[in-house]
Amino acid sequence: MNGTVLAPSTMTVTESLKFWLDGPLCLTVSVVGIWTNIAALMLLARQRIQRIFHLLMMFLCLWDFLYLVFSIICFSLPTLSPHFKDKIFIYAVPYVLPLAQICWFGSCYSTVALTVERYIAVCIPFFRLRHNIKLRMYVLPILIVAPLYNLPRFFEFRTITRVVSSCQSNLASNSSMSNSDDNNGINISDTVNSSHICLSNEPETEGEEEQGEKTIQLIVTTLRKNPHYITIYVNIANMVVNLFLPTLILIYLNTLIYRALERNKTVGVQLRRNGGSKDSLRKRDVRLTRIAIAIVCVFLMCHLPRFLMNVMELIFESLPQYLDAYVSFNNLLQTLNCSVNYMIYYGHCSRRKDQRGKLELESRSVGHPQSISARQCSPVNGDQIKVVRSGRGSSPSPKPVPV
């Protein structure tokens, strides 16, 4: 590309799709999601009552915010800015890519933690009281496992400056890298490729004097070229840990939660009651559970398309080039998923507040004592009865008043 971004008119269909998916669309969704998650953190932090569900929502929004920032660095800016791609991104890849994968792991399992919390609250509520479950029991495992599991990612690439005789911008020899990175939702195949940025194998010896052009190179380390590492960790382990396992847990637990709500015949009656601490607690649990189920449904819709690509990568050694656009589409779905979680929460709560306001307004207009006008009643013993109020909020006391 010679350090320039191709115009959409000179691209093939696949290149054009990748440009729009990784560039403008991903950037737009990420920016909206970043501001949404910032607003979510501020609003949730200012809540008067902080329950475990709300704190886990803040935890999820924090992971989503960080992933969206790294998504812009990994996809949008290299696609739209040749200067960023050639001068900044090449140095950031060995660090930004593992950090993005850590954030993706944290976001994924924060959704799982949210579902586990709802399962305990709805299906086994006494377990929470008996064991005094705190927020740290949900958060600490994610904070520990996320960086430890993705630690090998920091040793896959290195950026060096070398004097080489020729520099070829070709990723065909590194197809295993670009394919396997898709398993974790990250693809850098087109973002590291330019005339001044070379993706090459780790040199046998460094510091040797050569005549040629000084070139910045993104080095694939020996660890990243190891076939056992690629097969076991990059392909199989990532597909199981980052996709199959959380999907299975979410589907299973949400099925149990849904059945528990359906079996509880008193839920509908309790939702129609007014007042009572137990009723309020039950309504709150049902409301938060519905929010969690909606978040999980969006999560599954945005992640299930990755199954197809992962299975194809395990079966076939090389994939057609037009599937690169499908990879970009999966990346866009993951970015969208990290942008809408709080929107689901806020939309459900806003609708609930509107319904509550309408009910309160109707109850005032029908049942408030001041709305009852004094009417003449049927005569009793030759007299007529007028409604006389002794004060605000007191029930009307009929008194015989002679006419």
Side-chain angles (χ1 to χ4, degrees):
M1 290 188 189
N2 296 328
T4 60
V5 177
L6 290 176
S9 59
T10 63
M11 297 179 182
T12 63
V13 175
T14 302
E15 291 173 342
S16 180
L17 286 174
K18 284 184 62 62
F19 173 81
W20 287 103
L21 291 172
D22 288 336
L25 290 177
C26 184
L27 179 62
T28 302
V29 174
S30 298
V31 170
V32 173
I34 286 173
W35 285 109
T36 300
N37 285 292
I38 291 176
L41 292 171
M42 295 176 61
L43 293 175
L44 290 171
R46 292 169 55 187
Q47 273 197 173
R48 184 177 57 183
I49 301 176
Q50 296 286 350
R51 298 183 176 89
I52 293 181
F53 180 87
H54 301 116
L55 296 175
L56 286 176
M57 277 295 303
M58 294 178 61
F59 192 59
L60 175 61
C61 290
L62 180 60
W63 285 118
D64 290 343
F65 167 78
L66 294 175
Y67 177 81
L68 291 173
V69 172
F70 292 127
S71 177
I72 292 177
I73 298 175
C74 289
F75 303 120
S76 301
L77 292 182
T79 302
L80 299 175
S81 174
H83 176 77
F84 179 87
K85 179 178 180 180
D86 294 343
K87 304 298 183 183
I88 301 176
F89 180 69
I90 186 64
Y91 295 103
V93 168
Y95 310 102
V96 173
L97 189 62
L99 290 174
Q101 290 162 342
I102 290 174
C103 294
W104 176 243
F105 185 98
S107 176
C108 180
Y109 280 91
S110 294
T111 306
V112 174
L114 204 65
T115 301
V116 172
E117 192 274 337
R118 285 294 88 202
Y119 170 75
I120 294 174
V122 173
C123 298
I124 46 175
F126 293 106
F127 180 86
R128 176 176 56 182
L129 300 176
R130 188 184 308 118
H131 296 277
N132 193 22
I133 297 179
K134 301 294 185 181
L135 176 67
R136 62 177 178 270
M137 299 181 183
Y138 298 99
V139 172
L140 285 181
I142 300 175
L143 292 176
I144 295 173
V145 176
L148 288 180
Y149 176 77
N150 292 281
L151 185 62
R153 295 288 188 176
F154 288 93
F155 305 98
E156 293 183 351
F157 305 103
R158 288 192 300 126
T159 303
I160 64 172
T161 302
R162 297 180 61 200
V163 177
V164 295
S165 58
S166 62
C167 179
Q168 298 178 352
S169 300
N170 186 6
L171 289 178
S173 61
N174 300 283
S175 59
S176 61
M177 178 208 65
S178 60
N179 289 339
S180 55
D181 279 340
D182 296 338
N183 287 332
N184 205 26
I186 306 294
N187 178 25
I188 63 168
S189 59
D190 285 344
T191 54
V192 296
N193 211 7
S194 74
S195 62
H196 302 291
I197 302 176
C198 297
L199 185 61
S200 61
N201 295 330
E202 189 173 17
E204 301 256 340
T205 59
E206 297 184 8
E208 54 186 18
E209 295 293 333
E210 294 184 8
Q211 298 296 326
E213 181 183 0
K214 182 178 291 187
T215 309
I216 302 172
Q217 292 185 340
L218 182 64
I219 300 299
V220 181
T221 63
T222 305
L223 174 67
R224 190 60 179 79
K225 294 186 296 180
N226 188 299
H228 299 292
Y229 175 82
I230 295 175
T231 302
I232 297 175
Y233 177 78
V234 177
N235 287 335
I236 298 177
N238 279 332
M239 186 178 68
V240 173
V241 174
N242 291 323
L243 187 60
F244 182 75
L245 184 61
T247 301
L248 184 63
I249 294 174
L250 292 174
I251 292 176
Y252 178 71
L253 291 183
N254 278 278
T255 302
L256 295 180
I257 293 171
Y258 179 78
R259 289 179 179 177
L261 293 179
E262 288 295 318
R263 285 197 306 266
N264 191 350
K265 302 300 182 180
T266 61
V267 170
V269 177
Q270 291 173 348
L271 288 175
R272 289 191 293 269
R273 292 177 183 173
N274 293 323
S277 59
K278 294 184 179 180
D279 295 342
S280 300
L281 176 64
R282 186 58 189 170
K283 288 190 291 185
R284 184 186 69 238
D285 282 339
V286 173
R287 182 173 68 253
L288 297 180
T289 301
R290 289 175 177 172
I291 294 173
I293 291 176
I295 291 175
V296 169
C297 289
V298 174
F299 177 90
L300 295 177
M301 287 188 293
C302 292
H303 289 264
L304 288 180
R306 293 172 54 201
F307 270 119
L308 176 61
M309 181 62 65
N310 291 337
V311 171
M312 294 179 65
E313 289 167 355
L314 291 176
I315 296 176
F316 303 103
E317 293 183 0
S318 61
L319 298 177
Q321 188 176 3
Y322 61 82
L323 288 179
D324 290 344
Y326 184 73
V327 174
S328 298
F329 177 70
N330 287 335
N331 293 333
L332 180 63
L333 287 180
Q334 295 166 18
T335 303
L336 180 65
N337 179 218
C338 292
S339 302
V340 301
N341 286 327
Y342 183 74
M343 296 181 186
I344 297 172
Y345 173 85
Y346 183 78
H348 192 91
C349 291
S350 298
R351 184 168 64 253
R352 184 70 183 176
K353 289 179 181 179
D354 293 340
Q355 293 175 355
R356 188 185 305 169
K358 291 180 181 179
L359 290 175
E360 291 179 355
L361 185 60
E362 291 176 0
S363 64
R364 283 199 209 99
S365 61
V366 174
H368 198 281
Q370 294 297 338
S371 63
I372 303 176
S373 59
R375 298 175 181 271
Q376 289 185 343
C377 301
S378 58
V380 179
N381 296 328
D383 295 332
Q384 288 184 340
I385 296 177
K386 290 185 178 180
V387 178
V388 180
R389 299 183 180 86
S390 58
R392 180 179 178 84
S394 60
S395 59
S397 57
K399 294 183 180 180
V401 179
V403 179

